[in-house]
Structure formats: structure tokens, C-alpha cells
Amino acid sequence: MSSGPKKRNFQIEAFKHKVVVDPKYADKTWRILEHAIHEIYNHNASGLSFEELYRNAYNMVLHKFGEKLYSGLVSTMTFHLHTMSKSIEAAHGASFLEELNMKWNDHTKALQMIRDILMYMDRTFIPSTHKTAVHELGLNLWRDYVIHSSKIQPRLLNTLLDLILRERTGEVINRGLMRNIIKMLMDLGPSVYQEDFEKPFLEVSAEFYRAESLEFIECSDCGDYLKKAERRLNEEIERVSHYLDAKTEVKITNVVEKEMIANHMPRLVHMENSGLVKMLLDDKFEDLGRIYNLFRRVADGLSTIRDVMTSHIRDTGKQLVTDPEKSKNPVEFVDTLLDKRDKYDRIISLAFSNDKTFQNALNASFEYFINLNPRSPEYISLFVDDKLRKGLKGEKEEDIEIILDKVMMLFRYLQEKDVFEKYYKQHLAKRLLSGKTVSDDAERSLIIKLKTECGYQFTSKLEGMFTDMKTSQDTMQGFYAAHAAELGNGPTLVVQVLTTGSWPTQSSITCNLPAELSALCEKFRSYYLGTHTGRRLSWQTNMGTADLRATFANGQKYELNVSTYQMCVLMLFNDTDSLNYREIEQATEIPSSDLKRCLQSLACVKGKNVLQKEPMSKDIGEDDAFSVNDKFTSKLRKVKIGTVVAQKETEPEKQETRQRVEEDRKPQIEAAIVRIMKSRRVLDHNNIIAEVTKQLQSRFLANPGEIKKRIESLIERDFLERDDSDRRLYRYLA
Amino acid sequence: MGVQKDRVRFNVGGRIFETTATTLAIAGRDSLFGAMFDDNWDLQPNVMGTEHFIDRNPDCFAVLLDLLRTGELYIPSNIPEKLLYREALFYGLLDHVRAAMWGPFDGNRLHLAQSIMGRAPGDGTAIRAGPDGGCCVAHGSMVHVYDWMLEEHPPISLDYQRVNDAIWIDSESIVISACERLGRDDGGMGLFSASTGELRYKFHVTHDNQVKSYTGGALSFNSDYKLFSSCKGRSNEYGIGVWDQLTGKQIDFFYEPPGWSLGDADKLQWLHGTNCLLVATLFPRKDNCYISLLDFRDKNMVWCWSDVGAPTTDERRVRDAIAMEETNSICVVNEYEDLGFMDLRSSAGVVRWSSRSRLMKGKMPDEPCYPKLALHEGQLFSSMNDSISVFCGPDWVLTSRLRNSHGGSICDFSIGGDRLFALHSEENVFDIWETRPPPIV
């Protein structure tokens, strides 16, 4: 046996057979997979076994050949993309996009299948090595080798832009193909879409619309231009919805807005015969709505419209309030204001979508021009007077409210609300005393509105007037109940007891009343003072009215409605046939200006001339003689003889009212100064002026000069003092 | 013949299986079956007699096929779990397997699924549950990472410095914070890959345009990809740092106001509802407790509470705190596991202690562990010595107690991925508690 010596040679060798996989294993397996990828790209996948390929890819990863698999995939895919790129480059003319789309579809389908095979690598090898996943890798390679190939990139962009230009000029293009290509760019990532398409698209669009807008603006009017701009805007929005990324919408509309609207705003708005002013004048709601909606889209667009509207309202408003013709009739004046206000309200609600800033601009404009006419407060009060006297007759309660609300709106614009209050008080007094007010509810409703607007202080006197009226009624009832027996058939006296201060009384001399009446008045005086001790009554004969029964020589009987003054004059003719002016003046002691006016209305107004005058002139002379007009006839049994009086105030009256207003303001300004100084202790001049103006704003616009005077006056009376070191500072002296 | 049109025949490792395309569709598109029967691959599952060969283990295939059929997982004792997992990974069904392993989390239905013995020396610092059922455990200067199959991955460390906190940003990334090493740019915070353990990037702190080394403390993050950490710099640069998770760049720093504590915080908690960060520094790290809510938008401390100046008895000493946004309150716990509550809407911080019987008092184990709190879907968890108590309802009634005394006291626990992980102070043991899959009927 020869085994003996061999046995000696036996030695334990190191374990040589490490588990080594067939060295060619990886190459073999990869070749199978590589072949499969080629077949997939060649549309020849039907012969492949999915299970086999999946298992091979799995095994490569499992046996640590993931790196080889991955790099093999990259180079194989790159090879095919080069081929595809060549074939796309070779495509002629219009077939270029179609070829690109077709190849893209091939690639995505192949990519999906490759990913299926390499699923295990995607799941395990790629995350742990932080490599790009198969799907994303395929997109990146397509981007780098196809889309960014120097022969494709510019051509693709030009083709896309050219198609869009053609669509803009009215041609029909293959939107489906467009959508696919754009979708591909989006799939490659937002940066690809933006850099390779969106940015140049926006630039080209800007150029296109810049040129188009210049062309349009030369040959169309404002309305037409805006219609075209609106259509272009809608077209772009529609284009985005058909084949672009939704995020592009904002960007492309910004371009259109800038080129077609923002760059031409002043020119459009001020276009001769068709610009904004023309639209406002003609109430072109549709055009105004369009201009609003388009301009709203650009910066400063709305402020441009607003400014033009404001200056237009101011200009026309200024014309309106300073037009002497319009000022002749206060009611018409206010009606015109209300119409103007209604017009712009309608424009703002129908065309400007009730934009708050526009409403504010409207209000500011009205405030501006209404206060240009110093008589506006008077006219507004007169308008109310007119409405409450007769104008509201037959109107429904809601309508009254609407009118009153509108009046309140105008009232709010007034800077000199205290002037309004003065006039309102006068007019209200007249209405109440003559019993001309139509609706107590309407009167009260307006007072409540004034109260909510300006506070209790503003209306307390007005409310006092209503209370007086009510109390007077009760007093008269009491008077007649107490003296029923003695009074019998004599004249009926109706006394309205007015609280001093609440009413706009003018200190006037009491005229001589006819004997019958003065006796009655004495009775009332003693009755009233008997029930209210410590009060003083004085007769305001200038404010009363009287109903007289007159029998003329021809036997005609009339009932005459006259003023107290007129009554005094007429009663003189009970005893005599003719009197001259001086005799009348002596007998009645009516102030001459009032007497002249009163005689004028009795003798000079046609149809109401119960007296006749010698000579028969229009004006009353000191030597004129008067007698009863025996030929007086009237169709009506009741004749109302008004006093010749201008409804508006005359110049001197106006001055007087003005003066009273100024007088009333003084204590208010002083009160405000003291209030402010009491809390601030020390304040400089400018700040006092500012704060006082602010505090009084709700009532009137205080004049700085006047405030300064009030401060001086307060210093004189030791309420304030000037600071010794800084003369601009005032100190409050407690 | 009445033959179903969508029948599919497989030959798996020599064994024939028949199933339907409908059943296979449950696997989803991102599985072998989903790809295999996609229109791209010219396979016709409905052609009679076609047999699809798969070169895999037939026993595992049977288990996985049943998983697709029933949604439930039964692993016969002759199949090793690891083999099954590997097969599931091949088919792309691993997520299905995980979902079938345990049910939705319910603190009152937990059972102890497994206890894992660690091999690291020294005491455990913290345990953190990952979002998909894995966990990481910090021991001294190392963090051991386990996936949901409880297989250990390469451990991570930050320059081998002592780890203070760890947090899962997502199932693939963990951030750990560590002490700085004097004189070197070591420590701080780093983001690591959970599967490979490699460091992706470190988070730096910059004061006055100078990068400074620092000690990272408690961690938290929000849904805006912001990461928060309490920081201690060398030159009293204490406060809360804020970083972008995706870029690792520092974006903000909330400096600690004088007389307060932020940089030493034991706990950070992001409150989604109020966009605030809860910062709590507690005894015994500091002599006093400081709890505050920070609003980073205007750099404002919107709510704060401290026991400075209050008589400090053990019963009053806060050991852990957690904000409960649903009830606008903060829950705190003392060392006897008494719960206390504070109202976040009132600035006068008063702790209302709930009087529970002090069963634990007097029989403390040799090495006591102090309570920690956690909140999960309306259930409040509190660990104490070797057990975890579960509280439910508006009045926080004790409803369950989890106990596994092997390994001694519980020093930390964490809930996530529908699992509860509890780390014991001895022998590095940690327990995994799961809810069983829902019952059949």
C-alpha cells in the first residue's frame, strides 16, 4: 500500500473554498437583463419572462452586484436615449413634435417596465446608497440627452412658441399634442418647465401684447380697447386650462395686465370722448364695470379710476353749487345734489362692485363741494322745510324715511352743522307755529336721526319746541275751561307759550293789538301767571297768525287768513274807510320794515288785495293812503294772505344768522379749549388748534383765528397762562 | 364550465398554487404581482393552463398568499420568521406583513410581545420608538438601532460622546444630540441613516457669525421640517436652537432669559395647535423646575411656570411634564406618581394635584426610577419603577398597568409605530408591547 507515506503528507489546509460565486455570474446575469432592456426599447418584450428578469435583478442585488446593475442600467438607457434623440432630430417640420411625443411615450412605457424588473433594487439598494430611483433616473436622462440636446432644445421651444402665436392669431392648432408635450416638460420637474418653456413664453407674450396694445390703442376708443383686452385675458386663461400648468395662469395674466392695461392706464382713462369721464356722464354701467374689473388687476389701477372719478365729481359738483341759477331755488338745488348722489351710488353698486374705497371717495368729494357754498346748510334745511310742509303729502311712510335718510346723508357732509341747526330751528319754528307741519312722525323721525348723528345736545332745543307746542295745547284747554262763561262769542285766542332760548325769537317790539284782543290777552296773562308763578310772558306779535271774517261792501263774505300784524292793520278799517301810512304806523306801532311788507301783501298782490292803495304803485311810500278794496272778489271763501317774504333769507338776515352762529360758537370753542387743557395741563399752540378742531368737527369747522382769539380771551380771564420760558406753550390754571 | 375568468396558476418551487387576479391585486402595483400582471407585460393570467413559474420557497409563498387572501398572518412553527421576511421582501410584501403583525395601538389591550437583551455596557439613557415599529436605544455614547423586525442595524454615535437625546425624523433618519468634548468641535447634533448608521450631516450653532461647539440636549421637531434642541454653549450661549431638517441649516435661536432655564431642558414638545414649543427643565437637573411655552414667530415666552420660591417638598416636586393640547393643560407627575394639572389658559400657574393613593410610598426599590409621562390618542402613560400605568377619560382614571419586572426599574419608554417600548435600567433589557390584531368576529 502506498498510502503510508502519503498519509504523512496529510496536512490541514486553510479552507480555500470561500463561497465564491461564479466570477462570470454577474456578467452573465447582467447580459440577460441588458438584452431585456434592449428588447423593451425595441418593442419586442413579448418574448421576455418577467419572473426570470425579476429574479435575476434580485439576485444581482442580493449578491452585492447592485452597483454593477445600476451603472449598467444608466449606460444602457443612455444609449437608447441617444438613438431616440437622433431620430427626433431627423424629423422634418411639423412632424417634429409628433415624433418627440411618440418617443416620449415609448420611453415612459419602457421606463415603467424596467422599473418593474428592477423593483427590488429600487426598494433596497437605492435607498441605502442614496442613489436616484429608477423612475427619476429615467426622467433625468431623458431631460439631459433629449430635451437638452443642442439640436432639440431651441427647436422645441421655437415650435411651441410658434404654435401659440399661431393660435393667438386665430389658427386652430393641435391642442392635444401641445398638452402632451407640455405635460412632458412638467413631468421632468418644475425647473424644466419653467426654464425651457415658461420663461421664454412669458417674454414672447409680453412682446406680442406690447405691440398689439399699441396697435389697438391707436385705432379704438376706450370701451372697445377694454373689450379687446378682456377677450385676450380670457383667451390666455383658457389656454392655460387647456394645455399649460395651472400655476402659469397668474404669470401670463400678469403679463397681459401689464402690457395691455398698466402701461396704458392714463391714456385710456383720459381718452377723448370715450374715456372714464364720458362713461360716467353717460352711465355706461357695462363699460364702467369692465374698466373696474380690468384695472383692479393691476397696481394703482383702481386708484387711477378713483382719482379721475373724484376730480370729475368735484368739478361738476363745484359748478353745481356755485351756479347762481341753481341757487335761486333751494329745493331744486338739493334735488340736484340728491340726483347726483343717486347717480354715483348706482354706478358704484352696479359697476364698481360696491367698492368701499370708491364710496369713501364719493363721500369725500361731496363733502368737498357742498361746503364750497356757504349757504348749503340753509338750503338743505329749506329742502326739509319744503318736504315737511307739503312735499311729503301722499307719500308713503317708507318713502318719507328714504327722503329723510338722503337728507341726513347730505347733512353728514356739512362742515358747519351748527349753521344747519340754526336754520333748521327757524324753519321748524315757523312750521310749528303756523301749524304747517304735515306729519308729526316725520318731524320726530328726522330729529331722532339728527340726535343719533350729533348727540343729545344738538337736538335738545328742537325737542323743547315740540314740548312747548304740546304744553300750549293743554294750557289753552285749561284757559277755555276756566273762562268759558265770560268769553262767549268774542274772538278766539290761541296762545303758544314758547320757552325762551328754545326758540329762535327775535327781540321785537310788541305791536298794539286791537282792543278786543288785548283784553283777551290780559285775561290769558292773568290766567297763565296764576297757574305758573314766577314767569314772565311777552307777546311775540311778529310770529302769530289770525283768521278774520270780513264782509265787504258788496255783501261778499270771506274768511281771511293773515298774520297778526296784518290783522292789526285790517282791524283798523272796522272803524274807518281810509287811512294813510303814517296813521297806520302810529296806531299799530308795527316796525316800519314789517309794516311795509305787511301792507304790500295786503294791497299789492293781485287777487289778494283786500286793501287798495293810492297811488297804485308796487312799493309802499310813507305818504300812501289805504282803503278797503270794495271790489275784492275771490273764487274761494277762504283767502290766505301770505306775507311778502323771500323764502330764502335776505342779505342782512343772512348776516344776522351768521353773526348769531359765530356768537354761539364762541362758548363752544372755549369749552373745548378748557376741556382739553384740563386734561393735558400744558400744550403748545398747534396741538391745541388741532385738538379743538377735532373735537368740534361734528358740529362745525372751527376757524384757527377764532380759536386763537378764544385762547387770548381765556388768558385774560385767568383760565390759561403762557409758559414763561416757551411762549408757544399754554398752561392750564386750575 | 363555470370557470372563473381571473384564475391564476403558479408553480412556486415545484408546488402548484391557484389563486385569482383579484387576490393578487391586493398586493398593490409596487409588488412583484402588481408589475407582473401589468398590461406592459404580455402575460395573460386568464388563459387556462398557463402556469407562472416562480423560483422561490413554496411554504413561505403559501403563508404570504394567505396573507393576501385574509389580511392576517399565521407563521407555522417550521418557518423561521427571518426567512418569511426575506421572501416577503422579494415579493414586495414586507409592508403587508408588518401591518398584519400587530394591531392598532390601544394602551388597555397591550401584551408583552418580546424582550430584547442589549449587549451594551452601562445604563440605558433613552429609548425612542420609530414611526414604523422600529426603535433606537441610547446607551452612554452609542445609539443602537432596531428595525420593526427587531433586527439590529449598525449602531450610531456622535464622535463617541455621551448621548443626551435621540429622535426619529422619519423611518429612515435619526437625529441624536450629544455632549461636546472640550477643546474640539465634537458633540452637538447629527442626522444619521437608520439603516446604514452613516452620518448624513451635523447641525451647527452660530453665534455672532461664528460657529461654536455646544452640547445638544432635548430634541423635538414639527411638521414644518423644523428641528428644535436645547443647547448649552461654552460662553453661556444657552437657549433653544432651531434648524431646518432638510438642509441642516440653523434658522433661529431663542436665548435663555436671565433667571430662567431653557438650555438645560429635559424635555421639548412641539404643540401643533398653538404653534408653540413646550420647554421643561426639571428636578434633579436643576434645583427648581421651569416650564415654559415659546412662540418663535415673535420670540415670545407666552406661558411659564416655575416652583422657584415655593416650598419644595418631594410631593410638590415635578419630575416630568407633558402638554395636552385637547384640554389646554399641562400634566405633571411627582416622584410618587401623583398626577398634577395646570391650565394653559390662565397665566397664574397653579398645580392641581390629583390625590391618588400612594401605594408606592415606603416600598421603593433599591434603584428607583422616577416617573416619565407620555400621551397617545387620549391615553396618558406614566412609568414608575417596573411598571407603566395607563390613564383614560376626562378624569384620568387608572385603567391598566403594564409590568415586566425582569431588568429592574423602567428608566424610559416611548410609543410609536403602534408599539410601546420600555427600557429597563438593568441589563439593557427592553420590552416591546403590542396590541394584538383585531379579533376575527
Side-chain angles (χ1 to χ4, degrees), chain A residues 126-351:
Chain A
I126 284 173
S128 65
T129 50
H130 302 295
K131 288 197 179 337
T132 312
V134 174
H135 181 75
E136 206 187 327
L137 173 75
L139 296 185
N140 291 351
L141 293 176
W142 171 268
R143 175 192 66 202
D144 297 342
Y145 294 115
V146 179
I147 297 306
H148 286 175
S149 121
S150 59
K151 284 186 186 144
I152 291 180
Q153 195 172 21
R155 192 170 164 197
L156 172 61
L157 178 64
N158 288 337
T159 313
L160 292 175
L161 293 180
D162 180 56
L163 282 171
I164 290 175
L165 176 67
R166 279 202 256 158
E167 195 179 41
R168 277 188 184 137
T169 50
E171 274 185 53
V172 175
I173 62 163
N174 184 347
R175 283 183 164 181
L177 184 60
M178 272 306 258
R179 186 171 51 237
N180 289 344
I181 299 291
I182 297 288
K183 173 88 171 31
M184 169 194 78
L185 294 176
M186 279 155 63
D187 285 348
L188 295 178
S191 68
V192 176
Y193 172 75
Q194 281 160 17
E195 293 302 318
D196 289 84
F197 170 72
E198 194 184 47
K199 233 184 230 171
F201 164 69
L202 293 176
E203 279 161 21
V204 167
S205 302
E207 265 167 51
F208 175 81
Y209 284 117
R210 196 172 306 140
E212 187 173 84
S213 66
L214 285 175
E215 185 191 319
F216 278 177
I217 207 159
E218 287 305 328
C219 60
S220 15
D221 67 15
C222 180
D224 285 345
Y225 180 90
L226 291 173
K227 262 180 222 159
K228 283 177 188 163
E230 191 183 41
R231 204 186 61 224
R232 280 305 197 190
L233 205 54
N234 290 336
E235 277 173 14
E236 291 303 327
I237 293 170
E238 198 199 6
R239 176 175 354 273
V240 171
S241 75
H242 275 298
Y243 55 78
L244 300 182
D245 182 9
K247 288 196 212 67
T248 305
E249 187 180 309
V250 183
K251 298 176 192 167
I252 183 66
T253 50
N254 277 343
V255 167
V256 181
E257 285 155 9
K258 178 168 175 284
E259 299 300 338
M260 297 207 78
I261 299 164
N263 287 351
H264 302 289
M265 275 198 300
R267 180 154 177 200
L268 282 170
V269 164
H270 296 297
M271 219 177 236
E272 202 85 25
N273 285 325
S274 68
L276 184 62
V277 169
K278 181 75 175 157
M279 292 178 188
L280 290 172
L281 282 175
D282 297 350
D283 287 332
K284 299 245 173 156
F285 296 126
E286 203 185 309
D287 284 347
L288 287 166
R290 186 173 293 117
I291 200 169
Y292 176 83
N293 284 322
L294 289 175
F295 275 46
R296 187 174 50 178
R297 311 178 73 109
V298 305
D300 300 332
L302 288 190
S303 64
T304 308
I305 307 183
R306 210 160 44 228
D307 292 348
V308 171
M309 182 187 87
T310 306
S311 67
H312 174 68
I313 298 178
R314 284 184 184 210
D315 290 349
T316 51
K318 190 173 172 181
Q319 271 170 31
L320 191 79
V321 297
T322 51
D323 181 0
E325 276 304 305
K326 291 274 184 205
S327 294
K328 276 185 183 158
N329 186 342
V331 176
E332 205 183 297
F333 176 85
V334 176
D335 266 333
T336 330
L337 289 182
L338 289 179
D339 284 351
K340 194 171 170 67
R341 169 74 211 199
D342 280 348
K343 171 189 168 90
Y344 285 100
D345 258 351
R346 216 164 32 245
I347 288 176
I348 289 173
S349 76
L350 290 176

Side-chain angles (χ1 to χ4, degrees), chain A residues 35 141 164 170 177 183 186 198 250 296 349 416 418 431 456 465 470 508 546 563 578 580 596 626 651 679 691 734:
Chain A
H35 170 75
L141 293 176
I164 290 175
L177 184 60
K183 173 88 171 31
M186 279 155 63
E198 194 184 47
V250 183
R296 187 174 50 178
S349 76
E416 298 187 302
D418 56 342
R431 280 203 300 282
Y456 166 77
M465 290 161 77
K470 184 84 184 62
S508 66
S563 73
S578 172
N580 67 25
K596 276 184 186 164
F626 297 89
E651 214 39 54
S679 62
E691 292 217 20

Side-chain angles (χ1 to χ4, degrees), chain A residues 51 54 58 112 116 123 130, chain B residues 29-30 32 53 55 90:
Chain A
E51 191 275 341
Y54 187 95
Y58 173 87
Q112 176 66 45
D116 285 346
R123 198 191 305 281
H130 302 295
Chain B
R29 180 64 183 81
D30 285 337
L32 177 139
F53 177 76
D55 182 13
F90 173 84

Side-chain angles (χ1 to χ4, degrees), chain A residues 294-547:
Chain A
L294 289 175
F295 275 46
R296 187 174 50 178
R297 311 178 73 109
V298 305
D300 300 332
L302 288 190
S303 64
T304 308
I305 307 183
R306 210 160 44 228
D307 292 348
V308 171
M309 182 187 87
T310 306
S311 67
H312 174 68
I313 298 178
R314 284 184 184 210
D315 290 349
T316 51
K318 190 173 172 181
Q319 271 170 31
L320 191 79
V321 297
T322 51
D323 181 0
E325 276 304 305
K326 291 274 184 205
S327 294
K328 276 185 183 158
N329 186 342
V331 176
E332 205 183 297
F333 176 85
V334 176
D335 266 333
T336 330
L337 289 182
L338 289 179
D339 284 351
K340 194 171 170 67
R341 169 74 211 199
D342 280 348
K343 171 189 168 90
Y344 285 100
D345 258 351
R346 216 164 32 245
I347 288 176
I348 289 173
S349 76
L350 290 176
F352 296 162
S353 71
N354 271 328
D355 190 319
K356 268 271 172 306
T357 61
F358 278 72
Q359 283 167 351
N360 293 343
L362 173 63
N363 288 337
S365 311
F366 265 75
E367 195 177 322
Y368 162 78
F369 72 73
I370 282 187
N371 289 300
L372 283 180
N373 186 339
R375 308 197 66 167
S376 291
E378 184 189 350
Y379 291 168
I380 293 171
S381 175
L382 279 170
F383 176 81
V384 177
D385 190 52
D386 180 72
K387 291 292 170 205
L388 290 175
R389 263 173 202 274
K390 55 173 193 249
L392 295 176
K393 250 183 234 169
E395 305 222 27
K396 274 185 256 139
E397 213 162 295
E398 301 92 77
D399 297 340
I400 298 174
E401 281 296 308
I402 289 171
I403 291 180
L404 294 184
D405 279 336
K406 284 184 177 169
V407 169
M408 283 310 295
M409 196 175 56
L410 292 181
F411 169 75
R412 258 171 238 139
Y413 297 141
L414 291 178
Q415 276 164 356
E416 298 187 302
K417 296 198 170 56
D418 56 342
V419 177
F420 174 84
E421 187 199 359
K422 278 273 160 345
Y423 284 106
Y424 191 76
K425 205 154 121 190
Q426 272 176 29
H427 297 143
L428 176 63
K430 274 187 200 155
R431 280 203 300 282
L432 288 175
L433 293 179
S434 59
K436 291 283 167 45
T437 164
V438 196
S439 157
D440 231 28
D441 288 344
E443 293 277 7
R444 285 188 183 280
S445 152
L446 190 64
I447 289 196
I448 290 169
K449 286 184 205 303
L450 287 169
K451 196 170 172 176
T452 36
E453 196 69 28
C454 298
Y456 166 77
Q457 197 195 3
F458 195 85
T459 55
S460 65
K461 286 181 179 172
L462 302 180
E463 284 176 289
M465 290 161 77
F466 280 96
T467 322
D468 281 352
M469 293 306 290
K470 184 84 184 62
T471 324
S472 298
Q473 259 179 21
D474 297 346
T475 312
M476 284 328 286
Q477 270 173 11
F479 175 64
Y480 278 100
H483 296 273
E486 316 159 40
L487 294 174
N489 286 337
T492 314
L493 178 70
V494 180
V495 181
Q496 282 145 340
V497 184
L498 314 181
T499 313
T500 322
S502 293
W503 297 73
T505 47
Q506 290 145 334
S507 53
S508 66
I509 311 123
T510 311
C511 73
N512 285 341
L513 290 172
E516 304 93 308
L517 274 172
S518 58
L520 196 53
C521 287
E522 267 321 303
K523 273 206 184 95
F524 178 79
R525 185 197 290 274
S526 57
Y527 166 78
Y528 185 81
L529 296 179
T531 45
H532 302 84
T533 46
R535 295 200 184 173
R536 211 164 57 83
L537 284 181
S538 64
W539 299 100
Q540 297 282 329
T541 44
N542 57 329
M543 288 160 87
T545 59
D547 289 327

